[in-house]
Amino acid sequence: MANIKVLLWFDVEDYITPESEDALLELLILCDEKQIKGIFKMVGEKARVLAEHGRTDILEKLKNHEVGYHTDFHSVHPTVSEYLERKGFREGAEQFHDNEFNGFQDVASITGMPIKCYGQPGFSWAPQAFPALLGWGIPVYLDTGRQITLHAKPYWYGGMLNFMDLPGLMRMELMEGGLEEAKRQFDDIYEKLSAQSIGFVSIVYHPNEFSTTEFWDLINFGEGKNTPRNEWRPAPLRPFGMMERYIRMLGQFIDYTLSKENVEYITSAQTLELEKSRKDELAPEHVRTLAANTGKDLYFQLFSGYSLSVSDLHSIFVSYLLGKPLVPELIYGPETAAESDIVTAVKVADLKAAISVPYPKVRGSYHLPDHFHIGEAKINPVDVTCTLAKVIREGLKDEDEVTVVRGSLRTQIHANEDDFWGNGWEIFPRDFRVPNIVRMSKLQTWTLKPAIF
């Protein structure tokens, strides 16, 4: 029977409706009573409002749990996807840092807790966020979404461990009959995950759901609307006693899950401890085997306990040829999918000179250039990586010439093609499209690889 690990997470975001604070407190008390750790992803403005309202009761109880980050203002326009749609990868990472870092700092300083995970507001996802988040020391991306999917399992992308598109994603709906339906849903998930060594269940709520009948942001920011701050309206409240009733129901549901064998509630930080892919140095013969398995279609490889993204493979091929330690290194994808010059062959010495040049950086991490300058030719990173594998496979020397291998980035198949997001989140303008974000999400599949549990 699988070990079932439950991630119970709350997006703490309603900074307009004061009663949502009481719901947050009651949920913290509930988790304490059940002796489980919840994951509370908090908006920067929400943390500031809690401090302004003197909610030391909430802030103290948060210390028993895990705190994540959920952007600075959540649904105020432009949201993350809106302001990053027209930005490149490096520029967008800087913009995300400029817009969101203050909120990150406020959540950490006000709660007194380290920030262990991040999740986007609604479906406002963008690949440019990852270098900034990683630079802030956030290792886990915890949310829902289908822009990047990998066989409905956890994966590494952008240097972060991602829990997004999971078969164990569920919730008990706050309605009559919600408890019994949630029990049936959990039983079904439990059975489906039973064949796995570790199965993850992701349960998501917002504290404001327990206290209000509508979402705070839909009222003020729905369909692209940007209500001025002095006109913000709180959400309508549930009838007296309903908040407490639904929190009791959630407690009963938690009790039911814990009555099952091998069920444990864990934090996102604990998932990192469970992830077992090797990070140590590879042996030279391992690199030769990986090169032998690298053809024209670049894809991640699982090998001898390692999970290696295409950028990992690129980094160790470079290190092998330059005589450096054979440790996989995160390298983000390029800004564009540029075409290579038409050239038949290049000198191995020129190829090694090209990969010896320092790569550009994005928020402190390396990313691939659009082209490598090899002699007089400009060759894109895909073709360079395929050609590096050929040099290693054939044991070519500096004085040899190597035929340039024209390749493709096959990991792009795991990025959703649909750029119409206007119907994906009620906060977006109805006609909202994100062709640039979709394009860049594909390019960053250089970093995509399975997580190993």
Side-chain angles (χ1 to χ4, degrees):
M1 177 61 68
N3 289 314
I4 305 298
K5 308 299 184 184
V6 181
L7 297 160
L8 174 62
W9 50 281
F10 301 88
D11 284 347
V12 186
E13 60 190 43
D14 183 352
Y15 45 80
I16 295 177
T17 313
E19 289 79 2
S20 66
E21 297 171 11
D22 297 327
L24 172 57
L25 177 61
E26 292 302 318
L27 289 165
L28 286 163
I29 292 171
L30 174 69
C31 290
D32 287 344
E33 289 176 347
K34 303 301 178 185
Q35 297 184 325
I36 63 174
K37 287 187 178 293
I39 304 165
F40 294 85
K41 290 158 45 192
M42 188 170 293
V43 167
E45 180 67 3
K46 179 68 173 184
R48 293 187 288 269
V49 167
L50 288 173
E52 290 167 7
H53 292 177
R55 297 306 302 256
T56 55
D57 51 350
I58 291 173
L59 297 175
E60 279 303 309
K61 286 200 170 294
L62 277 169
K63 297 185 189 305
N64 297 329
H65 303 278
E66 183 176 83
V67 174
Y69 185 48
H70 199 44
T71 72
D72 199 15
F73 281 94
H74 197 277
S75 302
V76 173
H77 298 282
T79 63
V80 172
S81 294
E82 291 172 299
Y83 69 72
L84 291 183
E85 166 55 20
R86 292 183 175 86
K87 301 291 184 181
F89 190 64
R90 274 177 293 174
E91 184 187 16
E94 294 295 337
Q95 187 70 64
F96 184 87
H97 174 84
D98 291 346
N99 286 23
E100 310 297 344
F101 185 62
N102 285 343
F104 163 77
Q105 287 186 309
D106 285 344
V107 171
S109 63
I110 290 169
T111 64
M113 296 288 286
I115 307 302
K116 295 297 186 181
C117 62
Y118 169 85
Q120 80 277 352
F123 289 98
S124 199
W125 182 95
Q128 300 102 312
F130 285 83
L133 294 167
L134 201 61
W136 302 345
I138 301 179
V140 178
Y141 201 115
L142 173 63
D143 216 290
T144 64
R146 294 185 58 81
Q147 183 54 36
I148 302 294
T149 60
L150 190 61
H151 312 308
K153 292 183 178 180
Y155 57 83
W156 293 93
Y157 178 87
M160 299 176 70
L161 180 58
N162 285 250
F163 292 86
M164 296 287 282
D165 176 39
L166 299 180
L169 178 66
M170 67 160 297
R171 53 184 279 130
M172 180 196 74
E173 296 298 338
L174 307 183
M175 56 185 290
E176 291 293 333
L179 177 58
E180 294 308 313
E181 176 57 33
K183 289 178 179 179
R184 287 190 290 271
Q185 188 178 0
F186 185 81
D187 287 346
D188 183 54
I189 291 171
Y190 187 84
E191 183 64 28
K192 288 179 179 177
L193 295 178
S194 63
Q196 300 181 19
S197 58
I198 294 181
F200 291 98
V201 179
S202 183
I203 301 176
V204 54
Y205 287 101
H206 306 75
N208 55 279
E209 293 180 76
F210 293 85
S211 57
T212 64
T213 58
E214 294 183 54
F215 265 74
W216 63 284
D217 53 350
L218 180 59
I219 294 170
N220 294 285
F221 309 111
E223 298 188 4
K225 178 173 60 176
N226 230 10
T227 302
R229 186 171 190 133
N230 61 354
E231 297 178 17
W232 286 353
R233 293 184 295 124
L237 302 179
R238 291 191 182 277
F240 180 78
M242 292 301 292
M243 179 185 80
E244 293 80 3
R245 178 183 178 184
Y246 286 135
I247 289 176
R248 284 195 302 271
M249 279 177 56
L250 179 58
Q252 291 173 309
F253 176 62
I254 291 171
D255 287 341
Y256 181 77
T257 64
L258 290 172
S259 72
K260 299 283 188 177
E261 185 180 3
N262 296 328
V263 172
E264 179 186 15
Y265 282 70
I266 65 171
T267 64
S268 69
Q270 289 174 303
T271 67
L272 286 169
E273 299 170 7
L274 295 171
E275 207 279 340
K276 297 301 182 185
S277 57
R278 292 177 64 180
K279 308 295 193 297
D280 57 318
E281 186 172 355
L282 289 95
E285 59 268 24
H286 291 162
V287 180
R288 290 190 287 271
T289 300
L290 292 165
N293 293 333
T294 302
K296 295 182 178 180
D297 295 324
L298 293 179
Y299 203 60
F300 55 76
Q301 293 191 37
L302 296 173
F303 174 81
S304 190
Y306 293 91
S307 181
L308 299 167
S309 69
V310 178
S311 74
D312 288 332
L313 293 170
H314 177 92
S315 74
I316 59 174
F317 292 164
V318 167
S319 295
Y320 180 92
L321 291 172
L322 298 183
K324 296 180 178 180
L326 302 175
V327 179
E329 181 181 8
L330 171 68
I331 304 175
Y332 286 103
E335 289 275 353
T336 64
E339 294 291 331
S340 295
D341 287 346
I342 298 174
V343 58
T344 303
V346 295
K347 290 184 178 179
V348 171
D350 289 341
L351 176 60
K352 291 171 69 173
I355 59 176
S356 300
V357 175
Y359 290 8
K361 285 191 171 183
V362 51
R363 297 297 313 161
S365 297
Y366 288 111
H367 78 88
L368 291 163
D370 291 350
H371 288 108
F372 288 85
H373 295 268
I374 305 174
E376 299 297 319
K378 293 191 299 183
I379 311 296
N380 69 38
V382 169
D383 296 348
V384 164
T385 304
C386 294
T387 305
L388 292 174
K390 180 180 176 68
V391 171
I392 296 169
R393 273 197 312 273
E394 299 183 1
L396 301 179
K397 306 299 182 183
D398 286 1
E399 60 271 19
D400 295 327
E401 283 199 340
V402 59
T403 302
V404 175
V405 180
R406 307 296 177 179
S408 67
L409 185 64
R410 188 159 70 91
T411 49
Q412 294 183 95
I413 64 175
H414 297 289
N416 196 319
E417 294 273 0
D418 185 10
D419 70 2
F420 178 55
W421 288 13
N423 60 355
W425 187 31
E426 293 174 316
I427 304 305
F428 285 147
R430 293 300 89 190
D431 60 351
F432 185 51
R433 289 188 174 274
V434 290
N436 185 49
I437 284 176
V438 168
R439 179 184 66 83
M440 285 189 295
S441 73
K442 294 179 179 181
L443 288 170
Q444 295 314 315
T445 61
W446 274 87
T447 67
L448 178 66
K449 57 185 178 180
I452 298 177
F453 293 97

